[in-house]
């Protein structure tokens, strides 16, 4: 296999160098220069693990495993390790005013899923005097004019600093070349030349979606690239918190497409388009960064025999095959970015680099579920493995423009009769109904003339009708949901369309459970039942409430290993009713006990003991913070409300 530049990689090696810890500085060096050798790049961090499907809900005192395998079949496991991929210094919001941790791409398809949102970053370390600790090297003056202020990020080939240009009194981003000491001289020379090419490539482009290069300062034979400071974060970091809507994804895609069109017109191929290399700046600005492995027409290739650079899951098939790359390679990468941004899963990512490249060559991703219409057409056209049939940039621009524009209002919408909105609280109306002008949200739309012409009894009837519709126990399923009868559990479960179903492996698991997981892995629904006829050890409690309080006590005392739950979570237990019988619910809020990557989680749990003595438990798990929290709570309410247990 050949490629277009870079350092040789082994079969299972990551696609980027890992930075080594700084070497000790001798007293003699300290006296000679302030920072000899500049050995202050942070050591590489191991990639945080990705969530690999729902874990089984915490084991209560019940005889069989509760719903939810730790992973998809055949080997359930709580997490799948995410392979470290190339992390450029730009890619980690390198131009951002505040540093972000290196973001992970949406995980490979299949059993692995994207990570839910990160918890808030911890406070920076402080010195004994109480002031924040500074990065080694802060304050150094580079090339006599660029004062390093703070480290923004680092990757395989460099560290990016926020700096002040003291000559013109402005803040800039400075990319310091930083390579592992063990690299052979030839590879070091190639890496430094790629950095110079990055500067030349970006400097040749004049486009608002391409970062501006101000200067290249050569210090001790190493090129320090001085660039525009873009305050924001990467698209990769944004996708850690959830997928993008179709219009926003199309808008960002248009900006990236514009940057690629400008580059291609100048004879430059980017060759590493991925979410980490797309910065989201203020006022809606989108910037494509990191031309470090760009190929400039007419320049000599830096390819080593068997060498390979770039992020495998975003590389076009023709590049994997060693064919001469063209603009369509960058367009393929844009298609993968749009797929990941809207669907929440990278279509080709697998457990290691060879498997990922094989997937790029041979796998056909599932049709986009969230992207519809012109956006789906653009994604599908960009992911054609034959570059001659792949959509051209002009066609992609038309489709993305159509997808990014707001839908036109229909004549019936513009001529709609003025209405009053009757709003009723979710607590069932205990707070009373209020009327507000306009269309409002969440209320019953009643023509204003009807309100004035009808008596209070009619208004009360409208309110009563709203309560029937708004109450999910009495109303229809939400749009896009479906009901699934689970024969083994003797119950019908309502879930959103597209959720992935998992059941026990009967060769090793005799339990009665099923889970449904959304593609992002952030939300899962699990339903299980403990049969009285199988409860030889009498673990089933006397009532739904007793079972709920028993589980609640276990959570408080020892947590739940299967749910990554530490002891002492915050819980809200309560007794409820179901079809006139007694049931119970519990809401559990906690921070996962993953020492490397703790996450806020929230569980909604429903308990019901049937007349036959069987104990049913419905669990819905979702992120405790971020965009998915509200959606998770909505899924939990609807799933519990529409649970239909068979009569036995």
């Amino acid at each position: 296999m050949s490629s277009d530049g870079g350092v040789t990689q082994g079969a299972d090696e990551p696609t980027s160098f890992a930075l080594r810890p700084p070497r000790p500085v001798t007293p003699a060096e300290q006296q000679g220069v302030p920072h000899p050798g500049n050995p202050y790049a942070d050591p590489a961090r191991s990639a945080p693990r990705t969530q690999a499907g729902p874990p089984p809900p915490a084991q209560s005192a019940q005889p069989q495993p509760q719903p939810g395998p730790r992973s998809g079949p055949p080997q359930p496991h709580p997490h799948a390790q995410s392979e470290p991929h190339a992390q450029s210094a730009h890619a980690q919001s390198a131009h951002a005013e505040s540093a972000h941790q290196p973001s992970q791409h949406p995980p490979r398809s299949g059993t692995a899923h994207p990570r839910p949102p990160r918890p808030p970053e911890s406070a920076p370390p402080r010195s004994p005097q109480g002031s924040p600790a500074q990065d080694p090297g802060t304050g150094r003056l580079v090339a006599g004019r660029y004062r390093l202020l703070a480290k923004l990020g680092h990757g395989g080939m460099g560290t990016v600093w926020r700096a002040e240009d003291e000559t013109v009194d402005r803040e800039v981003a400075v990319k310091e070349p930083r390579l592992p000491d063990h690299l052979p001289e030839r590879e070091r020379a190639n890496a430094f030349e790629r950095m110079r090419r990055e500067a030349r490539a970006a400097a040749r482009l004049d486009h608002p979606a391409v970062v501006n290069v101000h200067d290249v300062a050569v210090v001790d034979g190493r090129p320090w690239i001085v660039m525009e400071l873009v305050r924001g974060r990467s698209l990769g970091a944004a996708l850690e918190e959830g997928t993008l809507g179709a219009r926003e994804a199309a808008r960002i895609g248009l900006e990236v497409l514009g940057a690629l069109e400008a580059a291609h017109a100048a004879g430059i191929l980017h060759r590493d388009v991925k979410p980490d290399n797309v910065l989201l700046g203020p006022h809606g600005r989108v910037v494509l960064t990191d031309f470090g492995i760009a190929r400039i027409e007419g320049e000599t290739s830096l390819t080593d025999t068997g060498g390979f650079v770039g992020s495998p899951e975003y590389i076009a098939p023709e590049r994997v095959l060693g064919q001469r790359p063209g603009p369509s390679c960058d367009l393929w990468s844009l298609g993968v970015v749009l797929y990941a941004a809207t669907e929440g899963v990278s279509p080709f990512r697998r457990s290691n680099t060879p498997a990922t490249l094989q997937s790029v060559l041979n796998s056909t991703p599932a049709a986009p579920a969230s992207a519809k219409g012109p956006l789906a057409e653009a994604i599908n056209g960009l992911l054609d493995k034959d570059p001659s049939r792949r959509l051209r940039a002009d066609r992609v621009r038309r489709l993305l423009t159509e997808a990014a524009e707001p839908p036109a209002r229909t004549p019936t919408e513009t001529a709609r009769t003025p209405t009053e909105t009757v709003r009723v609280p979710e607590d069932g109306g205990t707070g009373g109904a209020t009327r507000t002008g306009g269309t409002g949200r969440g209320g019953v739309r009643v023509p204003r003339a009807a309100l004035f012409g009808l008596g209070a009894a009619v208004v009360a009837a409208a309110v009563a009708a709203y309560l029937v519709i708004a109450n999910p126990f009495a109303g229809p399923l939400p749009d896009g949901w479906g009901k699934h009868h689970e024969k083994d559990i003797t119950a019908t479960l309502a879930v959103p369309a597209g959720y992935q179903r998992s059941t026990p492996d009967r060769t090793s698991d005799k339990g009665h459970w099923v889970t449904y997981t959304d593609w992002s892995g952030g939300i899962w629904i699990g339903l299980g039942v403990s049969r009285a006829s199988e409860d030889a050890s009498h673990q089933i409690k006397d009532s739904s409430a007793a079972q709920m309080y028993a589980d609640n006590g276990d959570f408080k005392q020892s947590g739940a290993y299967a749910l990554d739950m530490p002891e002492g979570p915050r819980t809200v237990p309560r007794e409820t009713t179901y079809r006139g019988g007694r049931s119970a619910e519990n809401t559990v809020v906690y921070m996962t006990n993953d020492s490397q990557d703790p996450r806020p989680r929230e569980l909604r749990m429903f308990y019901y003991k049937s007349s036959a003595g069987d104990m049913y438990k419905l669990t819905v798990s979702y992120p405790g913070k971020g965009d998915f929290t509200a959606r998770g709570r909505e899924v939990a309410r609807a799933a519990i409300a529409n649970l239909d247990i068979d009569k036995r």
Side-chain angles (χ1 to χ4, degrees):
M1 181 188 305
S2 66
S3 79
D4 309 298
V7 180
T8 304
Q9 299 294 332
D12 295 308
E13 293 177 354
T15 58
S16 171
F17 301 123
L19 298 181
R20 291 184 170 182
R23 63 177 177 83
V25 180
T26 65
E29 288 177 324
Q30 291 178 342
Q31 294 175 3
V33 289
H35 302 278
N38 200 17
Y40 48 82
D42 286 346
R45 294 168 58 102
S46 60
R49 62 187 183 181
T50 55
Q51 183 173 337
Q59 286 286 352
S60 62
Q62 297 187 25
Q64 97 293 327
Q66 286 302 312
R70 295 300 300 249
S71 176
Q75 291 294 333
H77 194 275
H79 296 281
Q81 286 292 339
S82 171
E83 181 190 11
H85 281 262
Q87 294 287 343
S88 76
H90 278 30
Q92 304 166 40
S93 297
H95 306 300
E97 185 172 16
S98 301
H100 292 277
Q101 296 295 337
S103 62
Q104 296 294 312
H105 308 298
R108 56 189 180 272
S109 59
T111 61
H113 301 282
R115 297 164 48 195
R118 284 181 177 272
E121 297 289 349
S122 59
R126 293 183 174 269
S127 64
Q129 292 76 16
S131 60
Q134 292 184 333
D135 293 308
T138 300
R140 179 181 179 184
L141 189 64
V142 177
R145 63 183 290 183
Y146 305 111
R147 181 78 63 183
L148 304 184
L149 302 179
K151 187 185 297 183
L152 297 179
H154 66 271
M157 291 176 57
T159 300
V160 175
W161 294 82
R162 181 171 62 88
E164 181 181 2
D165 184 347
E166 295 185 347
T167 301
V168 295
D169 192 24
R170 68 177 172 185
E171 287 196 347
V172 294
V174 176
K175 185 174 183 179
E176 170 200 3
R178 180 68 179 164
L179 298 174
D181 295 334
H182 62 80
L183 272 187
E185 186 59 34
R186 179 188 175 188
E187 294 180 7
R188 295 176 66 86
N190 280 351
F192 289 150
E193 180 58 26
R194 280 198 296 273
M195 295 178 188
R196 295 186 186 96
R197 289 191 178 187
E198 173 184 2
R200 287 198 298 270
R204 290 172 61 173
L205 304 179
D206 183 14
H207 191 278
V210 177
V211 68
N212 293 320
V213 174
H214 301 315
D215 188 15
V216 177
V218 179
V219 180
D220 297 329
R222 300 184 303 159
W224 293 60
I225 303 175
V226 182
M227 301 162 288
E228 169 192 11
L229 179 65
V230 180
R231 304 181 188 275
R233 63 175 178 168
S234 72
L235 175 61
L239 293 182
E240 289 184 350
E241 300 177 3
T243 57
L244 301 181
R247 287 174 55 190
E248 178 65 6
R251 184 190 71 83
I252 292 174
L254 277 171
E255 296 297 322
V256 175
L257 178 64
L260 292 176
E261 287 176 318
H264 297 164
I268 299 170
L269 302 181
H270 189 282
R271 302 197 304 160
D272 199 19
V273 179
K274 60 183 180 181
D276 281 346
N277 284 341
V278 178
L279 295 185
L280 308 180
H283 313 298
R285 187 183 178 196
V286 178
V287 180
L288 179 63
T289 69
D290 204 348
F291 284 79
I293 64 170
R295 182 186 181 99
I296 303 176
E297 187 175 4
E299 293 198 355
T300 304
S301 172
L302 295 175
T303 304
D304 291 326
T305 302
F308 196 82
V309 294
S311 302
E313 63 197 284
Y314 296 97
I315 288 176
E318 57 268 31
R319 279 198 61 204
V320 177
L321 294 173
Q323 300 172 3
R324 183 177 179 83
S328 61
C329 293
D330 286 340
L331 296 179
W332 165 280
S333 302
L334 175 60
V336 181
V337 169
L338 291 173
Y339 190 105
T342 55
E343 305 305 308
V345 60
S346 182
F348 303 110
R349 188 176 191 186
R350 299 297 185 265
S351 60
N352 55 58
T353 297
T356 297
L357 297 178
Q358 190 69 24
S359 174
V360 169
L361 291 175
N362 299 316
S363 296
T364 300
S370 299
K372 305 292 184 182
L375 180 57
E377 182 180 347
I379 293 173
N380 291 330
L382 288 170
L383 295 185
D384 194 314
K385 295 185 187 297
D386 185 347
S388 65
R389 296 198 306 262
R390 198 170 299 152
L391 287 185
R392 299 175 62 87
D394 54 350
R395 176 59 177 164
V396 175
R397 176 167 292 281
R398 288 195 295 271
L399 290 171
L400 293 183
T401 300
E402 183 179 350
E405 292 177 349
R409 298 186 65 183
T410 63
T412 56
E413 289 177 327
T414 57
R416 182 172 291 163
T417 304
T419 61
E420 285 280 327
T421 300
V422 180
R423 305 192 67 180
V424 180
E426 289 186 2
D427 59 8
T430 57
T434 61
R435 295 189 304 168
T436 59
T439 58
R441 291 185 61 192
V444 176
R445 308 176 67 87
V446 184
R448 184 170 290 140
L451 284 176
F452 289 129
L454 299 177
V458 176
V459 177
V463 173
Y466 168 81
L467 290 174
V468 172
I469 296 172
N471 185 345
F473 282 93
L477 284 175
D479 291 340
W481 283 55
K483 289 188 174 182
H484 303 267
H485 183 259
E486 302 294 343
K487 183 177 180 180
D488 181 56
I489 305 175
T490 59
T492 299
L493 184 61
V495 299
Y499 275 38
Q500 306 303 298
R501 182 175 182 266
S502 297
T503 55
D505 178 1
R506 286 305 179 198
T507 62
S508 59
D509 188 343
K510 304 303 181 182
H512 309 285
W513 57 261
V514 65
T515 64
Y516 287 86
T517 310
D518 81 318
W519 275 105
S520 75
I523 304 173
W524 58 265
I525 305 169
L527 176 63
V529 60
S530 296
R531 299 293 186 196
S533 58
E534 301 170 357
D535 186 25
S537 56
H538 305 287
Q539 296 297 312
I540 298 177
K541 304 301 179 184
D542 293 336
S543 67
S544 305
Q547 191 73 63
M548 181 269 293
Y549 283 118
D551 287 355
N552 189 71
D554 291 340
F555 295 156
K556 292 289 188 180
Q557 182 175 0
S558 56
Y561 173 79
L563 296 166
D564 289 336
M565 181 193 298
E567 63 184 33
R570 180 163 58 89
T571 61
V572 185
R574 61 194 181 103
E575 298 183 31
T576 57
T577 60
Y578 173 79
R579 291 184 174 177
R582 293 183 177 181
S583 58
E585 295 185 28
N586 198 0
T587 302
V588 186
V589 181
Y590 62 98
M591 186 72 73
T592 62
N593 54 11
D594 185 337
S595 60
Q596 293 186 355
D597 193 25
R599 311 278 183 87
R601 295 295 293 179
E602 188 169 304
L603 301 178
R604 182 88 177 270
M605 308 181 74
F606 171 82
Y607 298 80
Y608 177 73
K609 188 173 184 179
S610 70
S611 57
D614 298 337
M615 184 65 69
Y616 288 82
K617 183 190 295 186
L618 174 62
T619 304
V620 183
S621 175
Y622 45 89
K625 289 184 180 179
D627 294 341
F628 278 114
T629 303
R631 172 59 177 168
R633 291 170 179 168
E634 174 187 331
V635 169
R637 284 194 297 268
I640 293 173
N642 288 280
L643 177 63
D644 189 3
I645 297 173
D646 296 354
K647 294 181 179 180
R648 300 183 68 198

